[in-house]
Amino acid sequence: MASILDLDLSKGKYVISKHIYGHFAEHLGRCIYNGLWVGEDSPIPNTRGIRNDIVEALKEINIPNLRWPGGCFADNYHWKDGIGPREDRPYMINTDWGHVVENNHFGTHEFMDLCEQLECEPYICGNVGSGTVKEMQEWVEYLTFDGESPMANLRKKNGREKPWSLNFFGIGNENWGCGGLMKVETYVEKYRQYQTYVSNYSGNEIKKIACGPSEADYHWTEVVMRECTGQTPQLENSTHDKPIKSAWEYYRPQLWGLGLHYYVRNRLNYTSATKFNEDLWFEYMQRAVYMEELITNHSKVMDKYDPDKNVALIVDEWGSWYEPEPGTHPRFLYQQNTLRDALIAGINLNIFNNHCDRVKMANIAQLINVLQALILTEGSEMILTPTYHVFEMYKVHQDSTLIPINIETRDYQFGGGSLPIVNASASRDQQGKVHLTLCNLDPHNSEEITCRLDGDKAISSVNARILTAETMNMCNTFEQPEQIKPITFDDIKIQDNLVSFVLPGKSVLAVELEF
């Protein structure tokens, strides 16, 4: 029996924000140093210290935003240590990631330069855990104020005359954990205080993002939403005929987004990124699909306080997490990237697309040499991982209109468990092309697919590319950098508004339809 996918082209309502395809670069291991940043004197081709080949590769996938400086590092980071002449910047100990010495050579100016080279939006995460309200306020002023002020003048002294545009600012990171071990009630009070001083200067408008829950901590979501988006209370005053509005009406905390963190991992038993059998393949497919439940349940909590969905759910840390590669620093979190990770990426991106009414941004962890990286480097060499290729295949969904899909599919069964074999999402871009991305979670068996499109125009042409490999744990290496990459997929039949094909096992497929 074939899997049936019904696409109703008339029901597209929500736009898949390009920011769902965002990224994350933390001062962790070799993500920044010996990753993005090689320094201006490096023999590796660079522009003001930033690797040219990495910038070129990231622009190819239309990187929309980049989160920095962490992660856990953010709540230990004091931004003034990372400005001015590099030789004068103080050193610090990176207490979160290996107690290595951080020289602060990559700071605010370097990050904003990177974003300008990438033509992407900066997403800065501020220090709540060990910072101060004044420190955060001054950072925003330094970045965005166009005029005469102590921070603006300091920025000019350091070589940047005009302010930058800053769209996204996070008020702390994982404050339930490495960001201060706070109870949600404590964090909410800090959020309300800190965000008050994250001001909009010189026409710049900042979208403020609160530290959200870890995984299934629905209580955290409940309290943040209740305390930051509640109904305006009224105060009775006997000397007035009408109730006087409370201060809440004028100073209600601004909350654009709530961050959710979830990693596909086994905290009790981290295993190899490359040495695994079908039991671990199936387990990690289950863990990837669990993102659907998390987003659904957190969205239900948010709907209680925000039925119009004005507050975005931001999945600003997600991805696979295994044990570090043998011989590498255990706190540098360097891991290989296999076909399994390509499926994990495709599953998550499909889920985010399908929940784009609430999910407005996401940031995979991390960009280079850390966790589920898109790029791995060794000296001057660079390879693109299977995860990178999924982002390249899925970029067609950015800012396209979601097309709802109804999927009837069989289950992939293993060890007493089962999962739907097909995971998919679809959209229509601004040129009218329909894009369908599918994952086959079964590592052994192909699946017959029939797509029925409910529309008034017949399909005129189809193009498709597939990402798969001979084995489930195949990866790209520096010796064989192109073992896994997308190739053309031609075996597709179209008739009027029907599309049929056989989806190979353990594969990611991207289909483009023109009318």
Side-chain angles (χ1 to χ4, degrees), residues 188-454:
V188 163
E189 291 304 312
K190 286 185 175 291
Y191 178 84
R192 288 163 60 130
Q193 178 187 16
Y194 276 62
Q195 69 81 35
T196 304
Y197 300 94
V198 176
S199 301
N200 290 326
Y201 296 109
S202 307
N204 185 80
E205 294 187 7
I206 291 176
K207 295 178 173 66
K208 301 173 187 179
I209 300 170
C211 165
S214 171
E215 302 184 359
D217 186 352
Y218 303 116
H219 174 68
W220 187 285
T221 298
E222 178 94 31
V223 174
V224 174
M225 293 298 293
R226 184 186 70 222
E227 296 300 322
C228 296
T229 63
Q231 296 296 315
T232 303
Q234 300 288 321
L235 292 181
E236 298 292 342
N237 190 310
S238 59
T239 61
H240 291 79
D241 294 331
K242 296 181 179 180
I244 299 175
K245 292 182 179 180
S246 73
W248 177 271
E249 175 71 14
Y250 302 103
Y251 297 107
R252 180 185 302 180
Q254 297 177 37
L255 179 65
W256 178 78
L258 180 70
L260 165 66
H261 290 185
Y262 172 66
Y263 288 94
V264 176
R265 60 177 169 178
N266 184 337
R267 292 175 181 268
L268 300 178
N269 184 26
Y270 286 97
T271 54
S272 170
T274 57
K275 298 177 181 179
F276 58 90
N277 296 316
E278 189 174 355
D279 56 344
L280 287 174
W281 170 278
F282 184 81
E283 176 186 334
Y284 278 72
M285 292 301 106
Q286 283 184 312
R287 292 179 182 275
V289 170
Y290 181 57
M291 180 68 82
E292 176 83 35
E293 179 180 329
L294 289 174
I295 289 177
T296 298
N297 290 343
H298 283 293
S299 295
K300 287 179 180 177
V301 176
M302 297 174 76
D303 287 346
K304 291 167 55 180
Y305 301 93
D306 176 39
D308 295 330
K309 301 184 188 296
N310 294 316
V311 178
L313 183 60
I314 311 298
V315 191
D316 52 11
E317 287 191 31
W318 68 272
S320 57
W321 192 327
Y322 312 110
E323 64 183 8
E325 291 299 306
T328 65
H329 194 299
R331 294 296 287 169
F332 282 9
L333 307 187
Y334 178 82
Q335 64 189 41
Q336 250 294 357
N337 197 290
T338 69
L339 182 64
R340 178 174 64 173
D341 299 293
L343 268 292
I344 289 171
I347 289 167
N348 276 277
L349 292 173
N350 283 333
I351 292 170
F352 300 154
N353 289 347
N354 290 327
H355 287 273
C356 67
D357 59 335
R358 180 65 82 176
V359 178
K360 303 296 184 183
M361 178 187 282
N363 303 80
I364 188 170
Q366 293 187 10
L367 196 61
I368 301 169
N369 294 328
V370 172
L371 298 176
Q372 193 175 349
L374 278 75
I375 296 172
L376 302 178
T377 66
E378 284 186 6
S380 61
E381 296 184 84
M382 179 192 84
I383 59 174
L384 305 177
T385 69
T387 296
Y388 173 93
H389 292 305
V390 170
F391 271 81
E392 190 277 325
M393 294 168 70
Y394 277 53
K395 68 182 181 181
V396 291
H397 289 304
Q398 293 187 22
D399 286 342
S400 294
T401 301
L402 177 73
I403 298 173
I405 303 181
N406 181 58
I407 303 177
E408 296 179 15
T409 185
R410 68 178 178 87
D411 284 343
Y412 160 40
Q413 298 180 338
F414 181 83
S418 64
L419 290 169
I421 188 173
V422 175
N423 172 279
S425 66
S427 67
R428 180 159 45 192
D429 66 23
Q430 295 176 7
Q431 289 72 46
K433 297 177 183 178
V434 169
H435 300 280
L436 176 65
T437 49
L438 308 97
C439 298
N440 181 343
L441 279 59
D442 189 327
H444 302 300
N445 299 301
S446 298
E447 180 72 359
E448 294 183 15
I449 305 288
T450 299
C451 300
R452 302 186 298 205
L453 282 73
D454 184 4

Side-chain angles (χ1 to χ4, degrees), residues 19 112 121-124 140-141 143-146 163-171 195 198-209 254-257 361:
H19 291 295
M112 299 302 282
E121 296 274 1
Y123 169 15
I124 286 179
V140 175
E141 179 185 327
L143 285 159
T144 62
F145 184 63
D146 186 12
W164 291 284
S165 175
L166 178 61
N167 205 10
F168 305 107
F169 196 93
I171 313 295
Q195 69 81 35
V198 176
S199 301
N200 290 326
Y201 296 109
S202 307
N204 185 80
E205 294 187 7
I206 291 176
K207 295 178 173 66
K208 301 173 187 179
I209 300 170
Q254 297 177 37
L255 179 65
W256 178 78
M361 178 187 282

Side-chain angles (χ1 to χ4, degrees), residues 2-5 422 438 447-451 499-503:
S3 292
I4 306 297
L5 278 66
V422 175
L438 308 97
E447 180 72 359
E448 294 183 15
I449 305 288
T450 299
C451 300
V499 183
S500 59
F501 51 89
V502 175
L503 182 62

Side-chain angles (χ1 to χ4, degrees), residues 109 145-148 152 155-163:
H109 288 253
F145 184 63
D146 186 12
E148 291 289 326
R155 182 192 69 238
K156 296 171 187 177
K157 179 183 176 182
N158 288 329
R160 175 77 181 196
E161 181 68 24
K162 290 294 182 181

